[in-house]
Amino acid sequence: MLHRKIYQLCADGREVSVFLRDQQRWIEPAHIVDIEGDLVTIRYETDEDDEVSSWEEMVRLESIGAISQKLASVPRGNTEILVSEDCHEAEQIHPNSKEGNDKTSG
């Protein structure tokens, strides 16, 4: 199951966080760039002492304890969330839409 999910994230090119159970550390943000057998290639960057370094690690599939991805983020504080009126009509959420009522009934 994990192998299929990793393959899907690799194909989609999504940014992920990877927990390596044998090293007890998170690699974030990262991209899964290749899967070959039980080896997974992960690419990520670190920023230390005003120097950005790009890394690529090959880890065994069994070393991966968890993978997560950020779905969304919202700024904290008294900032107003910007909403675009230019998005496609099908993607807009209307408070009293029929679609919203269908989800609550059931």
Side-chain angles (χ1 to χ4, degrees):
M1 180 74 138
L2 181 62
H3 188 271
R4 284 186 287 171
K5 187 63 176 176
I6 291 172
Y7 180 79
Q8 179 184 8
L9 292 169
C10 177
D12 293 347
R14 295 185 185 181
E15 190 173 275
V16 296
S17 298
V18 180
F19 180 73
L20 301 178
R21 93 174 90 205
D22 56 344
Q23 299 176 25
Q24 292 294 300
R25 70 179 175 117
W26 282 95
I27 297 176
E28 57 187 349
H31 286 89
I32 299 169
V33 293
D34 191 31
I35 301 171
E36 189 171 326
D38 69 337
L39 291 177
V40 179
T41 306
I42 302 168
R43 184 175 294 148
Y44 62 97
E45 292 183 351
T46 59
D47 186 5
E48 296 176 9
D49 301 326
D50 297 329
E51 182 176 301
V52 176
S53 301
S54 187
W55 297 89
E56 195 169 279
E57 286 190 38
M58 294 176 73
V59 298
R60 295 211 175 271
L61 186 62
E62 63 205 29
S63 297
I64 298 174
I67 292 184
S68 63
Q69 63 183 13
K70 185 186 295 186
L71 299 178
S73 61
V74 177
R76 291 185 181 186
N78 292 332
T79 59
E80 187 174 327
I81 298 174
L82 302 175
V83 180
S84 173
E85 298 294 326
D86 298 329
C87 68
H88 191 269
E89 181 69 28
E91 295 173 353
Q92 292 182 10
I93 299 173
H94 302 288
N96 294 325
S97 68
K98 182 176 187 239
E99 181 178 306
N101 292 337
D102 288 345
K103 289 181 180 178
T104 57
S105 63

